[in-house]
Structure formats: C-alpha cells, structure tokens
Amino acid sequence: YASGVRTDQGIIALLGGFPAQPQTNIVNQPEKVERMPFLSLVLKNEHYHNAFYYGGELSFGRFNAIAHRAGFDRIIGVEDFSDAGLFNKWGADDKSLLDKYVAEMQHPAQPFFSYIITSSSHEPFTVPMPAVFTGSSHNEQFKNACYFTDRSLGAFFEAVKQTDWYKNTLFVLVADHGHHLPRNRQFNEPGRYHIPLLLFGEVLKEDYRGKTITGIGSQTDIATTLLKQLQITDTAFKWGNDLLGPNREQFAFYTFDDGFGWLSAKDTLIFDNRAGRLMYPLEETSGFHSDSVLTTGKAYMQLLYDAFLKY
C-alpha cells in the first residue's frame, strides 16, 4: 500500500522508509530531510553509483533537494531533454525519459542504483499515441496514459536486455501513490492506496520467478527488504518491516488529509480525525474489536509524529 497521496510522499516512503503524515509533509522542512536515512545514500556508502531520472521540473516536490540529500551523483530533469518527443504539463513523456536512460546507461560504472520517476499516467493524461481505449471521459484518458507507460516500459526492457548489466540487475517497479480512477475510489478507502510492487530480473532465483507473495505491506518496507537481501545493515530504517521476513507482522498504514487507514491480515479500519469518528467499519462486526485496532492505529500515529518532531 502507498503511504500517502503525493509523489513526494512516495519518494520519502520508498527511499527514506518514512511514512507520510496528515496535514504536513516532511519534504517542506529541509532541516528534517537532512537528518533522514536514505536507501540511495546507504548504497552510495557501499560504493554504488547513483542516478535520479525525472522528466519534469526538479523543483516540483523539492525533488532536486531530496535527490542531492539522498546521495544521487547524477540528477536528470526536464532541462536535460532538449529533443524529447513530447512535453506535457509534467515535462518529457515516459518513452523519452526511458529512452534517455537507456542511451546513457550503455556502459555504466557498476554497481549502480537508479531511481526513475515516470509521469505520463498523471493528469492531464497527455500521451503521444493513438487512443487504445476510445472515449473522452477521464477514465478512458487515464487508461490510455497507463497503456502508454506500460508500452514504454516494455520497450525499455527489450532495450536493456541487450546491455551487459541486465543479467546482474534487480528491477523494482512500484507506484508512488494510487489514484481514484478508473473505479472512482473515495479519498480514504484502502483500494485507492493499493499499488503494485514487482521484483523482476535474472538475479531472482528460479524458485521465486513468477511467484506471487500474498500479504500486506507498505512502501516503507521496501528499503528494508532490499537491504536485507543485499546483506547491508538496515537499522537506520526503523519503520521498515521486511516483506520477505518469515515472521513478519503483516500490516500497512496510510494517511490522507486528516486521518489514517490501518490494514492487517485480520482487520481494516479508517479513521477520520476531522469527523472525529471511524469511517470504516461503521459498526462492530463479528471477531473485530474496533477500539483495540483504533488504539493501535493512534499509537502508530503518535510514534510517527514523535519521530517527525525529533528529525
């Protein structure tokens, strides 16, 4: 599950392992970001060469400041795309972004870690291809934009398969946040925060290829999971919960404007602080004790804000 509702919250959750907060955003307080751990910085200290690729304005969401603090050696933004195929509201389209990455990474220094942010599937869903899903509604526009990003990723993988580093590389595909389309999800419901996570590449052991791992996890667990697999110390990522750990407690926590959702293998709960009540469930159900689950969620939120204030 995504931790929040914005791309900058997703970056902090994915690279910093730190949950999103309601009513505030840690990226707006640079002095706090300076004290955070980052996956890329840990890898840089292990002699990885880091690159950050985004087709838009690096000032958006303070991406530039985050990327510098997170230890990225090469940082790409819209100003680096003089001949991109299409510039929309966000900048270079996903095909132009991925083509540039492939062109610049034919013979990279190794080992390396790259963080690539696609944007064509964001509003206003402007993509350089004929419509596959006909119609003019936002639903069709959204699905066409996602199709374009998916097609661009397909071409990307066909291209990088020709490089000498492909066979040694783990690809992690994950969304920065969810969306209300195409099913018109409500702003606080779990379905809006349910996102894909794919671990892909020839580095995967045969037994794990094509395997679906069930369970509940968060963006904040991914940095910890990767560091565990690399046998690199992950103790700085205190909010991480190894997704592949045999005895992990399965849960996810997400926040919206003034509330939070809590999901576990047994329970789902949504609390809206502005309304001062549970939004789900609206009444006790068999085997579910909302008071104890709500207390757990509130305790998690209290610890989160304690950590936020201490940064």
Side-chain angles (χ1 to χ4, degrees), residues 63-85:
F63 289 0
N64 201 19
I66 296 170
H68 275 104
R69 165 61 190 128
F72 286 96
D73 306 295
R74 179 154 175 73
I75 302 172
I76 296 296
V78 67
E79 63 274 10
D80 298 295
F81 291 84
S82 60
D83 58 348

Side-chain angles (χ1 to χ4, degrees), residues 191-209:
R192 182 163 181 168
Y193 297 82
H194 192 199
I195 59 173
L197 169 62
L198 296 172
L199 304 179
F200 173 80
E202 292 187 11
V203 292
L204 294 177
K205 292 181 179 179
E206 289 285 349
D207 291 347
Y208 292 98
R209 297 183 187 183

